[in-house]
Structure formats: structure tokens, C-alpha cells
Amino acid sequence: MSKHTTTTISILAENHSGSLSRIVGLFSSRGYNISSLTVAETEDPSISRLTIVTSGDDDIIEQIVKQINKLIDVIKVVDFKEEPVIERELLLLRVDSTKSTRNEIIEIANIFKAGIASVSPSSMTLEFMGTKQQVDDLILMLKPHGIKETVRSGAAAIAKTKK
């Protein structure tokens, strides 16, 4: 029996109306969950890259990849489970701040190399890019200050260059 894992799948698809809907529809119609989804044009504006984080046992992941490959708009599918990958998320986070807490929040931001995107009398908005774990850790450190709003991009991933 194979274990339940989380995996990142990269999909190159034709960039036209309905492509994204068909790919996401495949997941929902079969009851597969998408933990994270990012989509954007590639260096070729006629092609989009979708980065999907999903989970399941090895058989389910294999089935997902096979079914995505069958879709007419799909050019290429890569399951990053077996490949070294560079994966990042973008985080925008608004946290309560006062004169007395601002320095501590700035110290935490500096430790994580997060930027300060905006400051108001009652809050600060930080911007950060890192791994999912680093994003989770930053949120955990700032939680005691009162998080007002969190926006995460979801994973963007690319295979590491083979040496």
C-alpha cells in the first residue's frame, strides 16, 4: 500500500479560453483536491504554465498525471515528485502594529528577509518570498501580533538544472 503524499505538478498548456477550466474540472469531477494553483503565461504568450500542488497516494498521483496528459490543450505534464525542484510562494501579510510593537515586527521581518510593503498607524504589510515552510514559519512568528490579512500566491516551481 503506497503512502499519501503531497506533490507538485507542472503543466504546460495552450493559453486560450477554457484550457484552465478543463484542467481544474478534471480534478473536481474526480474528487481530487488542489492545495495550490498558480497560472501564468510562459516566455511564449501562446503557452501557460500551471503549477498545481495536490495530494494522494502514488496510484492517485499517477492517475492524475495520465488524465491531465489526455486533455487536448495540454502540451506537457511533469510530476516533480522524483525531480529536484526549486519551489517558492509569495506572501503578503498585514499585521497589527503600534509604536511599541513595530520594532519587534521589523526584527522578525529582517530575520526572514521579508520586505515592508506598507506602514500605517495601526498596521504593517510585509512581502515575502520563500518555501512553503518558510512562509508558514513567518506567519507563525507574526501570529501573536494579530494578523489582519494574509494573501499567498501558492507554489511556483521549476526543475533544478541538471549538472
Side-chain angles (χ1 to χ4, degrees):
M1 185 171 174
S2 55
K3 67 177 186 163
H4 194 82
T5 59
T6 299
T7 192
T8 303
I9 299 170
S10 176
I11 304 165
L12 292 177
E14 294 175 19
N15 185 12
H16 57 75
S17 177
S19 295
L20 174 62
S21 177
R22 279 186 281 284
I23 293 167
V24 172
L26 182 144
F27 279 80
S28 64
S29 69
R30 288 166 177 76
Y32 303 142
N33 187 45
I34 295 175
S35 302
S36 165
L37 169 66
T38 58
V39 183
E41 279 183 1
T42 64
E43 61 283 355
D44 177 346
S46 69
I47 299 173
S48 288
R49 177 179 308 277
L50 292 79
T51 305
I52 297 176
V53 178
T54 190
S55 60
D57 63 29
D58 291 343
D59 293 337
I60 288 174
I61 301 300
E62 183 180 340
Q63 191 65 30
I64 289 170
V65 170
K66 283 180 181 177
Q67 290 173 350
I68 292 169
N69 261 316
K70 290 179 184 177
L71 295 174
I72 201 157
D73 301 329
V74 171
I75 299 164
K76 182 179 181 181
V77 180
V78 177
D79 177 2
F80 284 135
K81 182 178 71 171
E82 302 297 325
E83 287 194 45
V85 65
I86 300 166
E87 193 169 323
R88 299 290 185 270
E89 280 192 29
L90 173 65
L91 169 71
L92 296 171
L93 182 136
R94 184 170 300 121
V95 62
D96 288 325
S97 74
T98 61
K99 279 185 178 181
S100 62
T101 62
R102 196 160 287 134
N103 283 339
E104 186 179 345
I105 293 167
I106 291 169
E107 282 181 36
I108 293 169
N110 287 339
I111 289 168
F112 283 86
K113 296 185 174 85
I116 298 168
S118 175
V119 178
S120 77
S122 63
S123 70
M124 294 177 73
T125 302
L126 304 180
E127 57 188 4
F128 177 68
M129 182 180 62
T131 65
K132 179 185 183 321
Q133 186 61 57
Q134 291 168 329
V135 169
D136 291 343
D137 290 347
L138 177 57
I139 291 170
L140 184 67
M141 292 297 293
L142 291 169
K143 204 171 226 170
H145 292 282
I147 294 174
K148 289 184 167 192
E149 189 172 4
T150 303
V151 179
R152 294 174 81 154
S153 67
I158 190 168
K160 284 187 178 179
T161 306
K162 293 183 171 91
K163 294 181 182 181

